[in-house]
Amino acid sequence: MRGKATREALACGPEETASESANVPTTEPSGEVAAPKSTGEEQAPKPQEPAPQAPAPAASKPAPPSEDVPSAPLLLAVEDVSDSSVTVSWEPPERLGKLGLQGYVLELRREGALEWVPVNSRPMMVTQQTVRNLALGDKFFIRVAAVSSAGAGPPAVLDQPVHIQRIIEAPKIRVPRHLRQTYVRQVGEMINLQIPFQGNPKPQASWTHNGHALDSQRVSVRTGDQDSILFIRSAQRSDSGCYELTVQLEGLEAKAAIDILVIDKPGSPSSIRLLDVWGCNAALEWTPPQDTGNTEILGYTVQKADKKTGQWFTVLERYHPTTCTISDLIVGNSYSFRVFSENRCGLSASAAVTKELAHIQKTDIVAKPKSFVERDFSEAPSFTQPLADHTSTPGYSTQLFCSVRASPKPRIIWMKNKMDIQGDPKYRALSEQGVCTLEIRKPSPFDSGVYTCKAINVLGEASVDCRLEVKASATH
C-alpha cells in the first residue's frame, strides 16, 4: 500500500501544485516549457495537503537505492542560454529499474529560495527541454530526476546556477559586393550607399571621411536598426577618399572602409608643337595634361583642319603616345592640328592647338602617261534569244520577241514569208537595248505564216525565223 500511495502521489501531486501555485509551469508538447511568472520577489510555493505526498526527488538524506528505482540521469548540461530561455540536456541513467522508466521530471530553484519548483507536471520521455519566458536577471539551479512506477530516483543537479542575462551579439558589417572595390562616380552624380550591419542590441554607427568627421552640409547619414545610409546629392571631386563606417556595441566594434572616387573630364594637353613637315606628312608632339580628372588618361584624339575650309576632321582616336605623324595631306594646302585628352568621362572641354601652320609644298611632277590600247568591241550581229513559234487567237494583238547582240548597232528588218513588212500599219516594230519586238495588231487567220527578224551592220548580218498560227474561232 505504501508503494501504491507513492505512485499515486507522483502521478497527481505535480498537477495539484500547478493548479494551486502560480509559480508552477505548464508542460508544452515539444519538450519546451514556460517558466513560472516572477512578481519581483521570490514566492514560495503553497504547502500541499498533508494527505499522501510523493517523496521529493532528492531529500536532505536520500533513501538507500532500490533496484526498482532508477539511478540519477547522466551528463546533465546546459545546451543554450538566451535572454529569455534556457535549454538543458542529459543522458538516460545507467539503471532504469525493474519496473521500467516512465520519464523525467525537471525542477528549478531560484537562487536564495529553498523550494524546488517542477517545470513539467508529469514525467516526460525526453532528454532535452527548453524553459522559456524567463526574466532578465533570473538566477536559478536546475536538477532532473528519472521516475519509474516505484518512484523518483536521485536527481542530477547542475554544479553552477544558470544566469539569464542579455545576450550581446557582436556587431558585424556586411559590405555589398559592388562596394568592395573602388566606387566610381562622376561629378554631379548622386552617391547613395546603404551598408547593412548586425548587432544585438542595436549598435551605434558613425562615419568618417579620410579619418575626419563628415561635412554635415554636404553629406547626410541615416542609421536604422539594421543599416546605415550615406547620401551625397551632387558629388564633387573633393568627396573622393576613404569613408569608414564604425559600428560599436558595449566595447565591441566593427569597421568597414569604402573607397569613393569622383571623376571629371580631363584638362587639355599642356602644350603642342609642330616638329617637322616633309612631303605630305607632318609630325606633332604634345605633353600630357596636368589635370587628369581624378582618373587615368585613356588616350588622345588628334584632329586636322585645312586653312581654306576651317573644318576639323578626326585623324586619330584613343591614341596613347604623345607623338604622332599625320600622313596623306593634300599638296598645296596648309593645316592646323589640335589634340584632346580623354578619360572615362569623355573628351576634355578644350584642346591644345598648334600655333604654326603645316604647309604642304608642291613639287615638280612630270606626268608620264602610260600608253593605252583601245579595245575593239566591234562585233557582227548574233541572236542571243531566237524567235519562238507562237499561236494566237483572232482579234487579240500578239507580240514576237528576240534579242540580238552586235556592235555597231544593227539595223533590224522584219519580214513575213520572206516579204518585207516595214511601213505596214498593221505591224509595229520596236528595238531597245538589243531586244527586238514585233507587235501584230488584231491578227486574223490571214496573218498566219513564217516571220523573220534580220539584223544587219557593217560586219555582217543574222536572222531568226518563227511560225505564227492564228486559229479561227469555232462557229456553232
Side-chain angles (χ1 to χ4, degrees), residues 311-382:
Q311 294 181 352
W312 292 97
F313 298 93
T314 300
V315 180
L316 299 171
E317 288 183 307
R318 292 270 178 112
Y319 184 76
H320 292 280
T322 56
T323 59
C324 72
T325 299
I326 310 299
S327 303
D328 299 329
L329 301 176
I330 299 176
V331 174
N333 289 349
S334 298
Y335 292 91
S336 296
F337 302 94
R338 66 182 182 182
V339 179
F340 292 89
S341 305
E342 184 177 2
N343 64 6
R344 293 174 61 178
C345 292
L347 296 177
S348 56
S350 60
V353 185
T354 54
K355 295 180 180 180
E356 62 272 14
L357 296 176
H359 302 284
I360 309 302
Q361 301 293 337
K362 293 182 179 180
T363 58
D364 295 335
I365 300 175
V366 179
K368 295 181 180 181
K370 295 182 180 181
S371 59
F372 176 73
V373 179
E374 186 176 358
R375 182 178 175 183
D376 185 9
F377 290 97
S378 299
E379 183 181 359
S382 62

Side-chain angles (χ1 to χ4, degrees), residues 174-353:
R174 303 197 177 277
V175 180
R177 185 181 299 275
H178 70 282
L179 296 178
R180 296 177 188 175
Q181 55 189 0
T182 302
Y183 184 63
V184 181
R185 306 299 289 172
Q186 294 187 20
V187 169
E189 291 184 340
M190 179 180 62
I191 297 177
N192 188 15
L193 306 182
Q194 183 178 9
I195 312 299
F197 58 79
Q198 296 176 343
N200 188 26
K202 176 184 175 182
Q204 297 294 324
S206 60
W207 288 85
T208 59
H209 178 207
N210 293 332
H212 303 285
L214 299 178
D215 183 2
S216 58
Q217 295 182 352
R218 289 197 44 77
V219 185
S220 59
V221 174
R222 184 188 66 79
T223 301
D225 294 337
Q226 297 180 343
D227 58 17
S228 183
I229 299 176
L230 182 141
F231 179 77
I232 301 176
R233 184 172 299 278
S234 179
Q236 301 297 326
R237 290 170 63 172
S238 58
D239 296 324
S240 301
C242 178
Y243 289 79
E244 188 175 65
L245 172 62
T246 302
V247 178
Q248 295 179 332
L249 176 61
E250 297 189 9
L252 302 174
E253 71 175 15
K255 294 185 177 182
I258 300 171
D259 293 322
I260 297 179
L261 181 63
V262 182
I263 61 177
D264 197 3
K265 292 183 177 181
S268 61
S270 301
S271 63
I272 183 174
R273 65 192 185 98
L274 186 63
L275 294 179
D276 192 13
V277 178
W278 73 99
C280 297
N281 309 298
L284 303 176
E285 182 183 35
W286 61 89
T287 55
Q290 295 180 353
D291 181 13
T292 63
N294 250 9
T295 184
E296 63 178 349
I297 297 295
L298 298 179
Y300 302 93
T301 297
V302 182
Q303 296 181 341
K304 68 177 180 180
D306 184 3
K307 183 180 178 181
K308 295 179 182 179
T309 62
Q311 294 181 352
W312 292 97
F313 298 93
T314 300
V315 180
L316 299 171
E317 288 183 307
R318 292 270 178 112
Y319 184 76
H320 292 280
T322 56
T323 59
C324 72
T325 299
I326 310 299
S327 303
D328 299 329
L329 301 176
I330 299 176
V331 174
N333 289 349
S334 298
Y335 292 91
S336 296
F337 302 94
R338 66 182 182 182
V339 179
F340 292 89
S341 305
E342 184 177 2
N343 64 6
R344 293 174 61 178
C345 292
L347 296 177
S348 56
S350 60
V353 185

Side-chain angles (χ1 to χ4, degrees), residues 25-268:
T26 58
T27 305
E28 298 180 0
S30 61
E32 300 181 356
V33 295
K37 297 182 180 179
S38 174
T39 58
E41 296 180 359
E42 187 64 37
Q43 296 181 358
K46 295 181 181 180
Q48 301 181 5
E49 297 292 335
Q53 180 173 349
S60 57
K61 293 182 180 181
S66 169
E67 294 182 356
D68 295 337
V69 177
S71 59
L74 305 175
L75 304 177
L76 177 62
V78 177
E79 295 291 335
D80 182 49
V81 178
S82 69
D83 53 4
S84 62
S85 65
V86 60
T87 300
V88 293
S89 65
W90 59 89
E91 296 292 334
E94 292 182 356
R95 188 180 68 253
L96 301 180
K98 291 183 177 181
L99 301 179
L101 187 65
Q102 288 187 341
Y104 302 92
V105 175
L106 185 69
E107 295 180 319
L108 303 181
R109 180 176 66 83
R110 285 181 167 80
E111 189 177 43
L114 300 178
E115 296 294 332
W116 287 92
V117 179
V119 174
N120 48 314
S121 58
R122 290 191 180 92
M124 300 181 66
M125 288 297 295
V126 294
T127 58
Q128 178 174 307
Q129 284 188 253
T130 299
V131 184
R132 301 188 182 279
N133 301 328
L134 299 173
L136 285 175
D138 278 355
K139 213 177 211 184
F140 48 83
F141 294 90
I142 297 178
R143 71 180 184 182
V144 62
V147 179
S148 69
S149 300
V157 185
L158 285 178
D159 297 335
Q160 299 293 331
V162 178
H163 189 195
I164 301 301
Q165 55 187 350
R166 176 176 294 175
I167 302 300
I168 297 177
E169 180 183 354
K172 292 181 181 178
I173 301 176
R174 303 197 177 277
V175 180
R177 185 181 299 275
H178 70 282
L179 296 178
R180 296 177 188 175
Q181 55 189 0
T182 302
Y183 184 63
V184 181
R185 306 299 289 172
Q186 294 187 20
V187 169
E189 291 184 340
M190 179 180 62
I191 297 177
N192 188 15
L193 306 182
Q194 183 178 9
I195 312 299
F197 58 79
Q198 296 176 343
N200 188 26
K202 176 184 175 182
Q204 297 294 324
S206 60
W207 288 85
T208 59
H209 178 207
N210 293 332
H212 303 285
L214 299 178
D215 183 2
S216 58
Q217 295 182 352
R218 289 197 44 77
V219 185
S220 59
V221 174
R222 184 188 66 79
T223 301
D225 294 337
Q226 297 180 343
D227 58 17
S228 183
I229 299 176
L230 182 141
F231 179 77
I232 301 176
R233 184 172 299 278
S234 179
Q236 301 297 326
R237 290 170 63 172
S238 58
D239 296 324
S240 301
C242 178
Y243 289 79
E244 188 175 65
L245 172 62
T246 302
V247 178
Q248 295 179 332
L249 176 61
E250 297 189 9
L252 302 174
E253 71 175 15
K255 294 185 177 182
I258 300 171
D259 293 322
I260 297 179
L261 181 63
V262 182
I263 61 177
D264 197 3
K265 292 183 177 181
S268 61

Side-chain angles (χ1 to χ4, degrees), residues 462-474:
S463 64
V464 289
D465 300 328
C466 74
R467 177 171 293 277
L468 174 65
E469 183 178 357
V470 181
K471 292 184 178 181
S473 57

